[in-house]
Amino acid sequence: MLNLKSTLSALWLATLAWGTARAEEDNVKSIPLRTHSLSQPYLDSDMQSRWYDFGGDTIIRTDQYIRLTSDYPSQSGWLFSRVPLTATNWEVEVEFKIHGKNQLYGDGFAMWITKERGKIGPVFGSADRFEGLGIFFDTYKNNRPGVVFPYVMAMVGDGQKSYDKDTDGKNSEFAGCSARGIRHASVPTKFRLTYFQDKYLKLELQYKSEGEWTLCFETNQPPAIPQVAYLGFSAETGELSDNHDIISIEAKNLYHAQPTGGKSTPGSGRGKKVASPKEGGSWTWFFTKIFLFFLVIGGGYVGYTAWRANNKRSHRF
Ligand SMILES: [Ca+2]
């Protein structure tokens, strides 16, 4: 009897512990960040994207991809969010595709969370001495003995530090992993970057089989992200080339739900709130509507007066 009782209480404790662990995990909630997500057809009716801007050699096929570089030499293209990422904690999941017809290929593409946006340069098509976080999908091994390529690497820039292409950024590596098979994979290739301020930064990759996420790196000492930072992508080809495609971007705001079941508090405190293009546009639209309204009223009044005058005249004659 005593035995059964202690077994039961041990079981109960185990259940409790498991429940607490589960609750920790379950406490992380997410809200889609429409401002930083992008999917087909990518463009609005005016052939612009409301939330993303692109340039360089980037081309868009609305039913397929955003191609940062095509499989030709000396290309460089970029895609950047128009508004900064203001969420304190976030997750970005991106489907991409690196492919080409050549035996030798390069150079790779980058994801950015940086103060700068759309500045062309030598680091996978973007400016060097950046401030913020860069994740590089390096497909061409310039010089890094003993390392299997493609190599995925994070670099934290302070605005001074330079990326050394000749050594594939070895000296400025924050974290990284080899990902053989990420190019021409048999499944859709994806990466998922999760950032929790002061808690962790984690990069996972999907390229081996669908639904299987391989941990590239995880650190509980995440870098500080600049107050105002844009989410972007860029790619570059040199003598060797490849298609570097972004298929979709899914961004989420992460937050801890209150354990009491109270109101949730999605963090958005890092930067100042920035008015979206839509908000700017809606004010213009508001004044346009007021103007149109008075124009119609005014026009109607003038028309009516003229009609009355006419009528009076016709009555007179
Ligand atoms: Ca390289």
Side-chain angles (χ1 to χ4, degrees):
M1 195 63 187
L2 201 77
N3 255 345
L4 180 68
K5 205 175 160 188
S6 55
T7 312
L8 275 177
S9 61
L11 262 174
W12 170 241
L13 280 174
T15 315
L16 253 180
W18 182 76
T20 317
R22 284 287 308 166
E24 273 283 302
E25 214 171 280
D26 290 346
N27 268 348
V28 177
K29 305 273 183 206
S30 69
I31 302 175
L33 269 173
R34 216 162 44 90
T35 48
H36 292 80
S37 298
L38 195 59
S39 56
Q40 291 156 3
Y42 313 113
L43 303 174
D44 309 328
S45 50
D46 57 355
M47 297 310 276
Q48 293 282 320
S49 160
R50 190 163 140 197
W51 303 115
Y52 276 88
D53 200 5
F54 55 95
D57 293 311
T58 299
I59 55 168
I60 297 180
R61 267 204 63 166
T62 54
D63 58 337
Q64 290 186 28
Y65 51 68
I66 296 169
R67 183 156 285 174
L68 301 169
T69 72
S70 302
D71 195 0
Y72 305 117
S74 307
Q75 290 234 322
S76 93
W78 57 266
L79 171 77
F80 260 90
S81 72
R82 290 179 189 269
V83 295
L85 192 62
T86 51
T88 312
N89 312 309
W90 41 261
E91 179 190 291
V92 178
E93 190 175 312
V94 176
E95 185 180 338
F96 62 94
K97 196 173 173 185
I98 310 172
H99 58 117
K101 56 185 186 309
N102 303 311
Q103 286 291 317
L104 289 170
Y105 45 81
D107 278 281
F109 79 98
M111 190 206 93
W112 302 99
I113 304 217
T114 48
K115 205 169 166 182
E116 305 82 12
R117 63 182 293 281
K119 269 169 85 181
I120 291 174
V123 189
F124 298 93
S126 273
D128 196 8
R129 299 178 197 280
F130 57 90
E131 201 175 331
L133 177 68
I135 307 280
F136 310 142
F137 293 78
D138 192 343
T139 52
Y140 182 75
K141 183 172 175 165
N142 295 69
N143 185 15
R144 245 189 114 162
V147 173
V148 171
F149 272 63
Y151 192 75
V152 184
M153 185 195 115
M155 173 175 166
V156 180
D158 57 2
Q160 305 295 320
K161 210 191 291 177
S162 181
Y163 173 84
D164 181 21
K165 194 186 275 190
D166 295 337
T167 54
D168 302 297
K170 184 177 186 277
N171 294 330
S172 53
E173 177 170 353
F174 177 74
C177 70
S178 292
R180 196 208 296 270
I182 209 160
R183 186 179 174 272
H184 281 194
S186 57
V187 296
T189 43
K190 293 180 183 178
F191 72 83
R192 185 160 64 200
L193 186 69
T194 317
Y195 179 83
F196 242 94
Q197 195 178 44
D198 305 326
K199 285 204 175 74
Y200 64 88
L201 175 71
K202 182 164 76 169
L203 180 67
E204 296 161 288
L205 308 170
Q206 177 192 289
Y207 63 101
K208 290 174 181 169
S209 64
E210 200 140 13
E212 183 192 341
W213 289 93
T214 305
L215 181 68
C216 179
F217 66 79
E218 182 170 10
T219 168
N220 53 16
Q221 286 181 315
I225 303 286
Q227 281 274 312
V228 174
Y230 299 90
L231 172 62
F233 302 85
S234 68
E236 184 186 45
T237 65
E239 281 170 52
L240 304 174
S241 62
D242 238 348
N243 298 300
H244 297 100
D245 300 346
I246 300 293
I247 313 292
S248 67
I249 307 163
E250 215 182 302
K252 287 173 186 169
N253 188 350
L254 300 182
Y255 63 97
H256 278 292
Q258 299 286 13
T260 46
K263 267 190 121 182
S264 53
T265 49
S268 63
R270 238 186 347 98
K272 264 185 277 171
K273 286 233 165 180
V274 174
S276 68
K278 172 67 184 176
E279 273 159 7
S282 65
W283 275 109
T284 320
W285 180 225
F286 176 71
F287 285 117
T288 311
K289 271 204 276 196
I290 294 238
F291 175 74
L292 281 173
F293 176 75
F294 281 110
L295 198 74
V296 168
I297 295 287
Y301 178 74
V302 169
Y304 174 71
T305 317
W307 174 77
R308 259 188 75 182
N310 235 343
N311 256 8
K312 271 185 191 162
R313 238 174 276 140
S314 60
H315 275 298
R316 225 178 279 158
F317 295 104

